[in-house]
Amino acid sequence: MRIKVINPNTTQSMTATVVAAAKAVAGTGTEILGATSPSGPVSIEGHYDEAVAVVGLLQEIRHGEAEGCDGYVIACFGDPGLLAAREAARGPVLGIAEAAMRAASFVSTGFSVVTTLGRTRIIAEHLVRAYGLEGHCRRVRATELAVLDLEDPASDARRVITEECRRALDEDGSGAIVLGCAGMADLARDLSQELGVPVIDGVGAAVKFTEALIALGLSTSKRGDLAYPIAKPYLGNLAPLSFQTRR
Ligand code: 2AL
């Protein structure tokens, strides 16, 4: 099966981190295609960044459909454009926030999310409510690290994240940690060992859930709101994204 892992920001080094995490867990019969958004913000840290990033993400989904992809992972913790991507795709599309939080709910009765900026924390809290996971998520914690700090080997990011995870375990009564950024994907295994609790990277979780859904023969429902977008002209430079103009 062919799973496309899309980094909706435009930082290729982050795509490399994400693709390595995806390939580390993928089954032998799974081909991982990595993609970086062709346009938009270098990191996604707010509603505006998300809205602009979704255009490049949807372009990658449309290309993926032409490339014969069986499923997709949106590798950004805000799960930007998740439902729009599901409309455009035949196979399953998973966001890393939803995948990680659902995985955490299987292995603990309460988890904490450790994310980047305070404004991103608020977006993650919205997602907790949107996914109906209020009963499982004890707290979302911000480290005030910028997303691109995670790409800087000279930054103190690893120590800051580890300390926040320890505070989450001590103060929130949580049994598991969800890492709240795609750029943290390479930290999960070491942190799990160090902290002695499940530390969940959404990229790995989303890849394994996507594989499972495909293996079960489950694709995105095309009945109701996730049906393919209605065919109509789109004007201006986004005209190629119209479902009249197949690419
Ligand atoms: C993210 C992420 O995963 N990638 C990105 O650019 N922004 N989300 C976040 N919570 O920091």
Side-chain angles (χ1 to χ4, degrees), residues 7-11 14 18 41-46 49-50 53 74-80 96 113-117 119-121 123-124 145-148 150 179-184 203:
N7 172 15
N9 75 39
T10 47
T11 298
M14 191 167 291
V18 158
V42 294
S43 62
I44 300 167
E45 300 177 305
D49 288 346
E50 282 195 4
I74 301 176
C76 173
F77 202 80
D79 292 353
I96 64 169
V113 178
V114 172
T115 187
T116 51
L117 301 179
R119 64 189 301 166
T120 320
R121 173 174 54 77
I123 293 177
L145 290 163
V147 169
L148 294 185
L150 303 169
L179 295 177
C181 183
M184 299 178 185
V203 177

Side-chain angles (χ1 to χ4, degrees), residues 190-207:
D190 285 357
L191 281 175
S192 266
Q193 285 254 304
E194 205 172 321
L195 301 171
V197 297
V199 175
I200 295 151
D201 149 48
V203 177
V207 167

